[in-house]
């Protein structure tokens, strides 16, 4: 993820939704214990706060210091800056050690990771009995027919600037390699479940969302401004009353997995092998 300035980090925090508490309720109900959760790529702690309602301790990590400065404080959450120079052993020790984590969450984040080392770390720290990993992404928002039509044209304009990482998100994780056994009713590799995230959004918050949106930032890095003043004016006209706070929802896609018996015996190579979804008859 591109590093955010303090101003853009504020915009990111204000526009992004809080994840529904029932997601965490359902995930906690499927884990064997509730001692330790790891929110990896925590950003400003949106998922960590939800995890803290159900787990005794939450370790929340991110490489972006600007985001961590704005993280929501909680007595059961410890936030840690984790630069890319950290080794796998250092990450395992920081998180809690081998076979220690009951639930790993990567919210709007896993597509930015170097997947091979991340999955190796996950397989070490996740509890072999009862541990779960949940990843999700939201890749669209529904506001109103007028605003949505303009947003679609903006989304289409990002095609020349998308990276393979962004395409994982735009695809709703349908193409995300996920070397874990699926959990019944919670998706599996190639077949994420689709969920809605309700949110209230002001025009100011929406413009902040656009300016901190990764595809627009990538285009700007290449000298192309997608979020122009003309585009903002069109959004303002379509929005209506500038003071109107709208009830919107983000479209989200989630996959939940656990360690399979086979994963105890082989190292996952992201470039050479992709596990297929398990048949539901084998799921718990």
């Amino acid at each position: 993820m591109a590093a955010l300035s303090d101003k853009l980090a504020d915009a990111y925090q204000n526009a992004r939704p809080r994840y529904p508490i029932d997601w965490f309720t359902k995930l906690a109900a499927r884990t064997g214990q509730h001692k330790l959760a790891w929110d990896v790529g925590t950003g400003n702690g949106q998922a960590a706060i939800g995890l803290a309602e159900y787990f005794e301790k939450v370790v929340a990590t991110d490489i972006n210091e600007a985001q961590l400065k704005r993280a929501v404080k909680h007595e059961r959450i410890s936030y840690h800056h984790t630069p890319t120079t950290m080794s796998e052993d250092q990450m395992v020790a920081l998180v809690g050690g081998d076979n220690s984590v009951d639930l790993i969450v990567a919210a709007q984040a896993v597509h930015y990771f170097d997947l091979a080392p991340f999955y190796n770390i996950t397989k070490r720290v996740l509890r072999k009995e009862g541990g779960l990993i949940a990843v999700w992404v939201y890749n669209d928002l529904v506001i109103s027919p007028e605003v949505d039509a303009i947003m679609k044209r903006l989304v289409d304009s990002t095609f020349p600037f998308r990276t393979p990482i962004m395409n994982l998100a735009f695809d709703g994780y349908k193409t995300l390699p996920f070397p874990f056994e699926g959990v019944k009713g919670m998706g599996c590799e190639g077949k994420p479940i689709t969920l809605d995230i309700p949110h209230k959004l002001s025009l100011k918050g929406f413009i902040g969302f656009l300016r901190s949106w990764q595809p627009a930032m990538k285009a700007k890095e290449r000298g192309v401004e997608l979020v122009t003043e003309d585009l903002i004016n069109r959004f303002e006209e379509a929005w209506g009353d500038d003071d109107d706070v709208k009830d919107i929802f983000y479209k989200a896609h989630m996959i939940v997995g656990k360690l399979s018996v086979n994963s105890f015996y082989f190292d996952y190579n992201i470039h050479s092998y992709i596990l297929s979804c398990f048949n539901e008859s084998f799921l718990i």
Side-chain angles (χ1 to χ4, degrees), residues 236-249:
E236 289 174 344
E237 183 178 348
W239 192 276
D241 185 348
D242 289 357
D243 296 325
D244 185 20
V245 177
K246 296 185 182 296
D247 289 307
I248 71 159
F249 61 88

Side-chain angles (χ1 to χ4, degrees), residues 124-186:
R124 287 182 59 181
V125 302
L126 194 62
R127 285 195 191 275
K128 292 178 173 57
E129 296 293 334
L132 294 181
I133 173 173
V135 301
W136 63 77
V137 64
Y138 52 88
N139 60 359
D140 197 7
L141 69 166
V142 179
I143 299 175
S144 71
E146 296 80 11
V147 174
D148 296 347
I150 302 171
M151 188 66 190
K152 184 181 185 305
R153 292 195 290 273
L154 174 59
V155 169
D156 290 345
S157 74
T158 67
F159 277 111
F161 310 103
R162 293 184 192 178
T163 65
I165 287 173
M166 290 179 189
N167 284 330
L168 287 174
F170 277 108
D171 290 342
Y173 285 176
K174 291 184 180 71
T175 56
L176 175 74
F178 193 71
F180 302 93
E181 182 176 341
V183 175
K184 189 173 182 179
M186 292 187 161

Side-chain angles (χ1 to χ4, degrees), residues 75-90:
E75 61 182 0
R76 288 194 290 277
I77 303 174
S78 60
Y79 291 100
H80 303 272
H81 178 232
T82 50
T84 55
T85 54
M86 290 184 68
S87 68
E88 290 185 19
D89 285 342
Q90 288 174 321

